[in-house]
Amino acid sequence: MEGDQRSGPSAQGLLPDGHLILWTLFSVLLPVFITLWCSLQRSRRQLHRRDIFRKSKHCWRDTDLFSHPTYCCVCAQHILQGAFCDCCGLRVDEGCLKKVDKRFPCKEIMLKNDSRAADAMPHHWIRGNVPLCTYCVICRQQCGSQPKLCDYRCVWCQQTVHDECMRGSLKSEKCDFGEFKNLIIPPSYLTSINQMRKDKNTNYEVLASKFGKQWTPLIILANSRSGTNMGEGLLGEFKMLLNPVQVFDVTKTPPIKALQLCTLLPYYSVRVLVCGGDGTVGWVLDAIDEMKIKGQEKYIPEVAVLPLGTGNDLSNTLGWGTGYAGEIPVAQVLRNVMEADGIKLDRWKVQVTNKGYYSLRKPKEFTMNNYFSIGPDALMALNFHAHREKAPSLFSSRILNKVCWIK
């Protein structure tokens, strides 16, 4: 009896300890399982979205939070997150992604056929999510002021119109490409070029004469890694205002390939806007030098700069400023390019050879931009570039880059 009484309390003491261990394991493992399950579901959703993006004709980018009140173009519901097209500006909820391609075509880079003449390009209207402070072309009242999916915007000329002001004549009306018509390459032009190339006809000047002498097509060459990845956002904004075929990311398409678009355009008429630092500008200028070597002098474009780098010494010397941080809208940047005057830049090719009679090393060639500057800034730029090449991950922030530049 005494032995049973002694064993009883010890058994009762073990029972609470076992419950405590189980509850501890449960409280620790449950959040872990929930986190793993959420991560798995999120990865599945991302793979599903990527598959839809890959098959879609739109240029989609997803976002976790829209910067201003946004409504789905399919279901007309207010959404906080979803996807938007960089080219036409459509904004949709994740659940409506599959329905978009059937209902809303994206911007046409080229016309599917040449049945429509160059002067018969109709408006391409998109309903809802019009830019702030835009006015109806009919009644001159502000558009997009109601808290719902309302009003229309043309993806080419950027004109906006109220729902109640939209008439049947507007839907079939000719689009004149708006304020930046002299910078845009019309889809009908590329369709005609494609047909002429099939017929082995390269006399593009006759075709370009229809657009007038004021037509100076603009090609955008942006470095998406410059300016704390600001170049990636600028690519989408330029695609909205221009023909997407004019906009290139130099990290994906080298400048020498992108500049071949100049050979399809009128002589001495093309302008190029380089969005990046001095290194990106130098890369583009080297590609232009290669065009000269290939005998393409007639297609050499004029170069403008939107400084996104750290030093931006060449950009500042040419009058484009020391840096761009979004202080002016992209539309104003295009206006500045249209109004800019051309000047010549002195570029030298320098060959460095080794001294001695038995040197087996090949001479090195460098290209140099010759403009007035003080020596130390060039040394600072060289040292900064050398450190960034050694450890690119340490120079991903523009603010930190400025601090390193000063030091």
Side-chain angles (χ1 to χ4, degrees):
M1 293 294 294
E2 293 179 357
D4 294 339
Q5 291 177 356
R6 291 175 183 175
S7 61
S10 61
Q12 292 176 359
L14 288 175
L15 189 61
D17 291 342
H19 281 228
L20 180 61
I21 293 173
L22 290 175
W23 279 108
T24 303
L25 289 175
F26 181 77
S27 61
V28 171
L29 294 178
L30 181 61
V32 174
F33 284 129
I34 292 176
T35 303
L36 291 176
W37 183 82
C38 292
S39 300
L40 180 62
Q41 295 298 318
R42 184 178 179 84
S43 62
R44 286 179 178 177
R45 288 170 55 192
Q46 289 178 348
L47 290 175
H48 180 65
R49 283 201 303 267
R50 290 176 185 174
D51 185 59
I52 295 176
F53 291 174
R54 181 174 54 84
K55 296 178 181 179
S56 176
K57 296 180 180 179
H58 291 272
C59 186
W60 293 115
R61 285 200 327 177
D62 54 352
T63 179
D64 293 330
L65 182 65
F66 287 106
S67 58
H68 53 82
T70 304
Y71 300 88
C72 177
C73 293
V74 178
C75 63
Q77 297 297 317
H78 180 262
I79 54 176
L80 295 177
Q81 60 181 9
F84 62 94
C85 178
D86 274 339
C87 297
C88 64
L90 276 175
R91 286 164 168 77
V92 295
D93 189 17
E94 183 179 351
C96 300
L97 276 171
K98 289 185 177 180
K99 306 175 185 178
V100 176
D101 282 312
K102 297 179 181 179
R103 296 182 57 180
F104 303 103
C106 193
K107 260 186 175 181
E108 289 182 306
I109 295 176
M110 294 175 57
L111 299 181
K112 294 180 181 179
N113 54 64
D114 56 352
S115 60
R116 283 181 283 180
D119 58 349
M121 179 82 179
H123 288 287
H124 183 164
W125 297 106
I126 295 293
R127 187 166 185 259
N129 303 307
V130 299
L132 300 176
C133 300
T134 54
Y135 296 88
C136 177
V137 295
I138 303 298
C139 65
R140 303 299 177 183
Q141 298 297 318
Q142 187 172 354
C143 290
S145 57
Q146 302 182 34
K148 63 177 183 179
L149 187 74
C150 61
D151 304 336
Y152 291 85
R153 174 184 60 87
C154 176
V155 299
W156 288 108
C157 64
Q158 308 305 320
Q159 289 184 351
T160 56
V161 61
H162 289 124
D163 288 333
E164 54 272 17
C165 296
M166 175 64 75
R167 300 190 298 264
S169 59
L170 274 177
K171 293 184 178 180
S172 58
E173 186 182 48
K174 179 183 70 174
C175 180
D176 62 355
F177 296 98
E179 180 182 3
F180 305 115
K181 60 183 178 181
N182 291 327
L183 302 180
I184 296 174
I185 301 177
S188 57
Y189 177 83
L190 295 176
T191 304
S192 301
I193 289 291
N194 190 35
Q195 186 62 40
M196 292 177 67
R197 295 181 71 178
K198 289 181 181 179
D199 299 337
K200 297 182 179 180
N201 181 8
T202 58
N203 188 14
Y204 304 145
E205 291 294 320
V206 177
L207 180 62
S209 62
K210 300 178 181 179
F211 300 95
K213 295 182 180 180
Q214 300 297 323
W215 187 46
T216 55
L218 179 66
I219 297 176
I220 307 294
L221 301 179
N223 189 339
S224 59
R225 299 175 184 173
S226 297
T228 320
N229 298 326
M230 182 183 290
E232 185 175 0
L234 288 173
L235 284 168
E237 294 190 56
F238 283 120
K239 287 179 180 179
M240 288 276 291
L241 297 175
L242 305 173
N243 191 331
V245 78
Q246 302 173 235
V247 184
F248 297 91
D249 184 354
V250 295
T251 62
K252 298 178 181 178
T253 305
I256 187 61
K257 290 186 177 180
L259 290 174
Q260 292 306 305
L261 181 59
C262 298
T263 61
L264 305 178
L265 299 168
Y267 300 150
Y268 308 111
S269 66
V270 184
R271 291 189 172 187
V272 171
L273 176 61
V274 182
C275 306
D278 285 349
T280 306
V281 178
W283 190 10
V284 174
L285 293 178
D286 289 340
I288 291 176
D289 290 339
E290 290 186 36
M291 292 179 65
K292 294 179 180 178
I293 295 174
K294 293 180 181 179
Q296 299 176 341
E297 291 88 353
K298 295 181 180 180
Y299 304 104
I300 297 300
E302 295 180 336
V303 179
V305 183
L306 184 64
L308 300 181
T310 304
N312 303 317
D313 185 53
L314 177 59
S315 170
N316 190 29
T317 303
L318 295 176
W320 294 103
T322 58
Y324 176 78
E327 60 274 8
I328 60 175
V330 172
Q332 184 59 45
V333 174
L334 295 180
R335 295 186 192 103
N336 294 342
V337 174
M338 293 173 63
E339 297 170 359
D341 297 324
I343 60 172
K344 291 185 177 181
L345 177 65
D346 190 13
R347 283 173 59 81
W348 292 15
K349 182 169 286 187
V350 182
Q351 188 178 73
V352 180
T353 56
N354 295 313
K355 293 183 178 180
Y357 295 100
Y358 303 101
S359 178
L360 300 179
R361 294 182 180 179
K362 295 182 179 179
K364 295 182 179 181
E365 288 189 354
F366 301 92
T367 302
M368 181 180 68
N369 299 318
N370 187 26
Y371 57 91
F372 181 79
S373 184
I374 302 175
D377 57 355
L379 179 61
M380 290 167 59
L382 178 62
N383 292 337
F384 178 82
H385 175 72
H387 284 84
R388 185 168 57 180
E389 289 294 317
K390 291 180 181 178
S393 60
L394 300 179
F395 295 87
S396 58
S397 172
R398 192 173 186 179
I399 297 176
L400 294 179
N401 291 351
K402 292 287 186 180
V403 173
C404 296
W405 184 275
I406 293 173
K407 289 183 178 181

